[in-house]
Amino acid sequence: MSIEESNKFEELQNIKLVQLYEFVTEVVRDFGYTLHKTLKDHEVRRRIELWSNQSKDNELALVWIEIVKPGEVMDSYTPTDVLRTMNDENITHLFFFTNMDLPAEIRDVLDGMDNHIFDMHEISEHLIAIDNRRLVNIARKRKIVRIPSGVGLIKNFMKNNLDARKEIKLKVSAAPELTNQYLRVIRKILDEIDAIEDINNLGSSTKERLKLSQYELLPELVKIPNFIFTRQFTHLRNTIFTLVEYVVIYLGNVLEYESEDSMKKNRDVIEEIIERLEYVGQQVMTYKEDMMLSSEKLSLRILISSGIFCLLFLLILIVVKYSR
């Protein structure tokens, strides 16, 4: 065993899930898969996800990451849990990653034609290859995908979170503050992306933050359609929804190393919507002024009508009095 391999083994024995996940995403992407959804996320020892094949419709793979602490052994039921999950999800492809030296009896259970098993030996080899690639500064090649990962993520989330409609009625005066709340969140995300030194080589902590932002935005796509504005501002609901939708897709472009054209296109849409939403406060102010002016005109018309009515009534009384 080389010194380099020995160092990698030592790193793997104490590796954290978030660090191993960075390697996992790189390997699974190389097989042509993109993240579909997370099934289970135990921050310390386990993460289970479904990834979709970019070139084959409806083909999913189970990605299972298992961290074993130094001095401990893998739970003997883990292979059974893996196979049970594959059966429950109707999955035939498996990517299994662990930071330990996998015993033959466990490997035999998990191994199969469409399964890819990575224990500390395979991971060590791949990590060394990755390090060597980074030393020669080879930029990660972004991929053109038929369906952006963010689109699949949104569809899956919406399908599984169709709660009963609960209308949220909003006054006109609430529109600017609501809009600004979304704009503040979106600008913060965009600023963080713009501050990334190398967009083609994301660090694990950056990935985790961006992925968290992406998942925090998803529930908003269920909530926003329930906003009820006055007739003059019904368009605002659709505009805010579109903004959040495109930010989720844009985050997917960044996280999954999708094409630069897609990134630019989606970023341009986001910037254009932000520019429009920045005028909501002014639009509300103009609307209130128009409403006040209309009220004043209506009051004046009522006052004039009342005066005319009183004058006519007085004339009728005079005519009746002198006609007797």
Side-chain angles (χ1 to χ4, degrees), residues 265-282:
K265 174 185 171 184
N266 292 327
R267 180 63 180 262
D268 288 346
V269 172
I270 292 168
E271 296 290 355
E272 189 271 331
I273 296 175
I274 288 176
E275 187 175 348
R276 278 191 282 142
L277 289 177
E278 287 175 341
Y279 291 97
V280 170
Q282 183 178 331

Side-chain angles (χ1 to χ4, degrees), residues 13-122:
Q13 289 174 352
N14 297 284
I15 198 169
K16 293 182 179 179
L17 180 59
V18 64
Q19 295 169 320
L20 182 56
Y21 184 74
E22 181 178 358
F23 163 78
V24 170
T25 55
E26 185 160 356
V27 170
V28 182
R29 285 195 199 101
D30 284 340
F31 278 87
Y33 287 82
T34 58
L35 178 63
H36 180 65
K37 72 173 179 178
T38 300
L39 297 180
K40 185 175 182 180
D41 187 358
H42 189 294
E43 295 181 358
V44 177
R45 69 182 185 89
R46 176 179 293 175
R47 179 174 289 177
I48 310 169
E49 295 178 339
L50 292 180
W51 285 58
S52 58
N53 192 321
Q54 297 179 56
S55 59
K56 296 181 181 179
D57 291 335
N58 303 319
E59 182 180 298
L60 297 175
L62 182 72
V63 176
W64 188 295
I65 311 168
E66 191 81 15
I67 293 290
V68 180
K69 294 182 179 179
E72 297 183 0
V73 296
M74 183 180 292
D75 189 330
S76 59
Y77 288 101
T78 298
T80 304
D81 292 339
V82 173
L83 297 180
R84 183 184 296 113
T85 303
M86 293 178 68
N87 184 63
D88 292 343
E89 298 292 334
N90 195 25
I91 301 296
T92 58
H93 302 271
L94 170 69
F95 289 90
F96 184 88
F97 298 84
T98 182
N99 65 322
M100 67 174 293
D101 185 5
L102 204 61
E105 58 271 18
I106 293 181
R107 182 181 288 272
D108 289 343
V109 174
L110 295 176
D111 217 349
M113 182 180 297
D114 296 319
N115 296 347
H116 304 278
I117 312 301
F118 294 83
D119 69 359
M120 65 189 305
H121 293 282
E122 286 88 357

Side-chain angles (χ1 to χ4, degrees), residues 40 112 251 253:
K40 185 175 182 180
L251 281 166
N253 295 151

